[in-house]
Amino acid sequence: MPADGVAFAMTAADPFPDPDPGFRVPRDLSADLVFAATTGAVREGLARLLALPILADLGADDRGTTELLLAEALNNVVEHAYANWPGEIRLRLSRKGGDITVCICDQGLPMPDNAPPRGTLPVIGAPEHLPEGGFGWFLIRNLARDLAYRRQDGSNALSFRIPVDNQDD
Amino acid sequence: MNLQTEHQGEVLLITVQDDRIDAASAIQFKEKMREIVAEPSARVVLDMSNVGFLDSSGLGAVVAVMKALGPVRRLELSGLTTTVEKVFRLTRMDTVFVIHKSLPEGIRRAG
């Protein structure tokens, strides 16, 4: 793994070039990444990931949503699964048409009750009692589709889908 | 975390120079902001127009700063970019802050 803690591999599943360069055929793309479980490595990895072909052509809105979802899910692993020991996070992204599928694996602590938190929006009360946390899972549940979690052999696997319409909006 | 501060009349204008407030920088943002807003001023305006990305940790830090201001002053936010505005809207935190589309009248960009 390089010094900044992020390793990349990228593959294009479609070996055929677009027949007409003026007509953009959606290609199947995937990317595999390994992050050191630190918030700094997550930030660095996201910046490099967003520049890869799998995400580089997203419209601004989809790009923002994708970065937010990945940041929330990856930093949860850093701050909770690996709260007590250092480790690595494996991220697999695949893109097919209007969907990005995300799978995140780690060898950290299991999720409480073996399930992703429900992500209920914290109650907004008087200013002095405003919540300073608890927004992360709310955002994930609000923006992601088909959220699934599995704990097996000491590993966590979280997967979800991000619908993207690939418009410059 | 680079924060530029400037007094303009009754307003303490704080400009975030970094392009993101995320899990890697939220604690530093919160600590630096708490020091800055300890200075007396009638109003505090946070110019976020350079911030393209804010996650839930960043949102929590902005809320913490607002609470540090105490009961009299409110934290006024200015220039939320698209993704940042979306985080405030989805979490309904847009109902808690005074949010200006651009710097309020009479306030000029920190230079």
Side-chain angles (χ1 to χ4, degrees):
Chain A
M1 187 180 293
D4 63 6
V6 188
F8 284 82
M10 203 195 69
T11 53
D14 178 5
F16 303 106
D18 294 351
D20 173 1
F23 177 72
R24 197 164 55 181
V25 176
R27 288 178 301 163
D28 294 357
L29 288 170
S30 68
D32 288 289
L33 304 84
V34 182
F35 296 77
T38 68
T39 54
V42 167
R43 178 196 273 195
E44 179 77 17
L46 285 178
R48 290 167 63 178
L49 182 61
L50 285 164
L52 293 177
I54 186 171
L55 300 180
D57 67 335
L58 292 179
D61 199 37
D62 287 336
R63 188 183 170 81
T65 301
T66 301
E67 183 172 16
L68 182 60
L69 273 168
L70 292 175
E72 296 299 340
L74 293 166
N75 285 317
N76 275 337
V77 175
V78 172
E79 290 166 3
H80 300 290
Y82 287 122
N84 300 340
W85 62 84
E88 283 182 351
I89 309 172
R90 291 185 171 272
L91 170 67
R92 165 163 285 195
L93 289 186
S94 53
R95 171 97 176 264
K96 192 168 186 178
D99 277 319
I100 297 168
T101 303
V102 180
C103 189
I104 296 172
C105 291
D106 65 77
Q107 280 73 52
L109 295 166
M111 290 200 189
D113 303 323
N114 271 308
R118 293 185 57 183
T120 311
L121 191 63
V123 175
I124 300 174
E128 62 272 28
H129 299 301
L130 284 175
E132 293 174 31
F135 302 114
W137 276 105
F138 170 79
L139 290 169
I140 293 173
R141 292 217 178 249
N142 198 283
L143 296 169
R145 302 285 174 270
D146 303 335
L147 187 75
Y149 169 74
R150 197 166 60 146
R151 174 78 180 180
Q152 192 169 25
D153 301 331
S155 291
N156 298 308
L158 181 77
S159 62
F160 54 86
R161 188 168 59 79
I162 308 171
V164 291
D165 61 13
N166 201 23
Q167 299 296 308
D168 288 322
D169 46 9
Chain B
M1 177 58 61
N2 189 357
L3 303 170
Q4 188 181 357
T5 66
E6 195 175 292
H7 286 276
Q8 290 188 24
E10 64 170 7
V11 169
L12 173 59
L13 173 67
I14 305 160
T15 307
V16 184
Q17 301 287 12
D18 288 29
D19 61 1
R20 51 200 295 129
I21 308 173
D22 60 11
S25 62
I27 292 173
Q28 204 192 12
F29 169 81
K30 187 161 66 177
E31 285 172 356
K32 285 199 165 185
M33 283 292 292
R34 277 184 176 148
E35 279 173 37
I36 292 167
V37 302
E39 289 183 46
S41 68
R43 294 169 63 193
V44 180
V45 175
L46 183 65
D47 182 353
M48 296 181 69
S49 55
N50 297 320
V51 181
F53 183 78
L54 169 132
D55 63 12
S56 64
S57 302
L59 178 66
V62 175
V63 172
V65 171
M66 157 106 128
K67 287 159 80 173
L69 285 178
V72 178
R73 295 185 297 176
R74 280 181 92 182
L75 185 58
E76 300 176 42
L77 307 178
S78 172
L80 304 193
T81 59
T82 310
T83 305
V84 175
E85 189 273 336
K86 185 172 183 171
V87 171
F88 275 85
R89 183 166 36 83
L90 287 174
T91 58
R92 302 200 191 121
M93 281 293 148
D94 58 344
T95 61
V96 168
F97 290 86
V98 177
I99 298 178
H100 305 283
K101 267 200 160 7
S102 54
L103 286 174
E105 192 144 336
I107 307 298
R108 62 189 186 281
R109 256 182 98 84

